[in-house]
Amino acid sequence: MSELRGKYIEAVARAADEAALEEVRLAALGKKGEISAMMATLGKMAPEERKTAGAALNILRDEIDAALRARKAALADAALDARLKSEWLDVTLPGRPRRAGTIHPVSQVMDELTAIFADMGFSVAEGPQVESDWYNFDALNIPPEHPARQEHDTFFMHRAAGDDRPPHVLRTHTSPVQIRAMMDRGAPIRVIAPGRVYRMDMDQTHTPMFHQVEGLAIDRDISMANLKWVLEEFCRAFFEVDKVELRFRASHFPFTEPSAEVDIRYSNVGGQLKIGEGEKWMEILGSGMVHPKVLQAAGVNPDEWQGFAFGMGIDRLAMLKYGIPDLRAFFESDLRWLRHYGFSALDMPDLAAGLSR
């Protein structure tokens, strides 16, 4: 029995791989193995002899089985060590970069101007993009004969034959939001209304859908001087310049009186646009004091309250600040454009610092 034990323990130790180890196991413990054959002869022995021989064979079988398991584990460890030496990985290296999504320039500018006006006490108001004819035109003192109310300028919603409801339109500006805000909150009020607007226009500088922000401030003693200060502070913070010069030109809007187009001083040298310097002027927005009829339509008494309103194109502001040459680029499907002009979701400009200049 001891010779048999030494034979197989030595064979197990000599096994160089798992295949050789399996051959040793089959030779010793397999169905036709030597120890299995000896176990099969126990039935022919006398009881006392069978008891002694059986115990010895069980011990031998367990020892060989333990040796086989230990050798198999040792071979597996050796194989793993060999792989680690040949297939090493430096876990201190940075991970493979994954292209992250970016924020569209229009969304970025919306966030910027919202933060800037919030620092001046303006909250954000919202309204539906499909508006009634009354909110979009009548409440804003736009007469029936005004060109904006014609089908070649405005998207009117389809009406079935016999449908006599007042017409609905895709809003042509966010001014209806001002009416809704005044009707909901009354006066005093200070809001901005950013959002999509729609007009039947399409060329290099116009698209049928674009983005606009309008501002409204109503109180008892508000004047054009307050309007001028708000717009100057906004331009200084948004364009991140220390000096801003605005020019107010008399104009006409049905919903404001007096009304003014607002130009900003700039220069353009070698294709580089710089705000706040130079000899050129560029129109950037419209503004004025809210017309008394607009206040009345919104349920605000014009004998007690007055205020200013302004409106500007968000797409155009993005083009001016970030050097985007063509408005139509905002709607291109080429992702290379957005990767060039897009903004990281983790980048947030220091807008408060801009206002403190």
Side-chain angles (χ1 to χ4, degrees):
M1 198 74 71
S2 60
E3 290 181 3
L4 196 60
R5 176 184 178 282
K7 172 185 173 181
Y8 284 110
I9 293 298
E10 184 180 352
V12 168
R14 288 199 311 265
D17 53 39
E18 290 194 13
L21 192 65
E22 180 65 10
E23 290 181 3
V24 175
R25 187 191 71 81
L26 292 174
L29 304 178
K31 288 184 177 181
K32 297 180 179 181
E34 189 172 2
I35 296 175
S36 298
M38 294 178 67
M39 297 284 287
T41 64
L42 293 174
K44 299 177 181 180
M45 297 180 183
E48 289 298 325
E49 186 182 2
R50 183 169 61 242
K51 182 177 179 181
T52 303
L57 285 173
N58 284 333
I59 293 173
L60 178 60
R61 182 187 60 188
D62 292 343
E63 287 182 351
I64 295 174
D65 183 65
L68 288 167
R69 291 176 183 275
R71 184 58 179 164
K72 185 175 183 179
L75 290 173
D77 290 343
L80 179 59
D81 289 340
R83 285 190 61 191
L84 290 175
K85 290 178 180 178
S86 61
E87 302 176 10
W88 65 276
L89 175 66
D90 187 352
V91 295
T92 65
L93 291 174
R96 294 183 178 91
R98 298 179 63 184
R99 189 180 296 278
T102 56
I103 296 177
H104 195 283
V106 169
S107 300
Q108 174 74 12
V109 169
M110 277 193 180
D111 290 343
E112 291 180 22
L113 63 86
T114 297
I116 293 171
F117 282 113
D119 281 347
M120 290 189 280
F122 287 79
S123 61
V124 175
E126 297 180 330
Q129 296 182 41
V130 177
E131 274 290 8
S132 71
D133 193 61
W134 185 85
Y135 278 107
N136 199 76
F137 296 121
D138 294 329
L140 293 164
N141 196 38
I142 299 176
E145 67 276 6
H146 195 280
R149 303 186 74 154
Q150 306 306 310
E151 290 188 356
H152 59 75
D153 274 344
T154 300
F155 291 100
F156 283 84
M157 306 306 292
H158 175 71
R159 284 283 187 266
D163 189 342
D164 297 328
R165 289 179 299 165
H168 280 71
V169 301
L170 291 179
R171 65 183 183 189
T172 59
H173 42 196
T174 57
S175 300
V177 180
Q178 299 181 18
I179 299 297
R180 292 178 177 275
M182 284 190 286
M183 294 177 71
D184 290 342
R185 309 183 195 180
I189 189 173
R190 200 180 302 185
V191 296
I192 59 168
R196 295 186 182 93
V197 296
Y198 307 84
R199 296 178 191 174
M200 296 185 67
D201 208 349
M202 180 63 178
D203 57 37
Q204 186 173 356
T205 59
H206 299 86
T207 59
M209 187 278 289
F210 57 100
H211 301 80
Q212 189 180 60
V213 60
E214 299 199 11
L216 172 73
I218 303 294
D219 214 319
R220 297 188 185 278
D221 300 313
I222 286 183
S223 68
M224 288 287 287
N226 302 119
L227 169 64
K228 182 174 183 291
W229 179 86
V230 166
L231 295 179
E232 286 178 346
E233 289 298 304
F234 167 75
C235 291
R236 187 178 295 112
F238 179 76
F239 291 110
E240 301 179 37
V241 294
D242 295 323
K243 182 181 178 182
V244 167
E245 186 174 352
L246 299 180
R247 181 177 68 179
F248 286 70
R249 291 182 291 107
S251 185
H252 170 72
F253 303 113
F255 30 80
T256 53
E257 181 61 37
S259 303
E261 302 275 6
V262 181
D263 306 331
I264 192 168
R265 186 183 291 276
Y266 79 104
S267 66
N268 193 338
V269 180
Q272 183 69 30
L273 187 144
K274 293 185 178 180
I275 300 294
E277 60 181 58
E279 301 300 325
K280 297 182 179 180
W281 295 92
M282 175 171 48
E283 177 188 331
I284 59 169
L285 60 92
S287 64
M289 299 298 291
V290 181
H291 199 289
K293 290 185 178 180
V294 175
L295 294 175
Q296 286 179 335
V300 176
N301 187 348
D303 295 328
E304 297 182 20
W305 305 94
Q306 61 188 38
F308 62 75
F310 59 85
M312 61 188 95
I314 295 176
D315 312 73
R316 190 150 184 261
L317 288 176
M319 294 172 66
L320 293 175
K321 182 172 182 177
Y322 297 110
I324 300 170
D326 190 334
L327 183 64
R328 291 172 295 186
F330 286 123
F331 305 98
E332 289 289 340
S333 58
D334 190 341
L335 291 179
R336 292 173 298 178
W337 178 87
L338 190 55
R339 288 168 185 162
H340 177 73
Y341 287 109
F343 295 83
S344 168
L346 300 179
D347 290 342
M348 189 63 187
D350 189 357
L351 302 176
L355 273 175
S356 63
R357 288 192 178 99

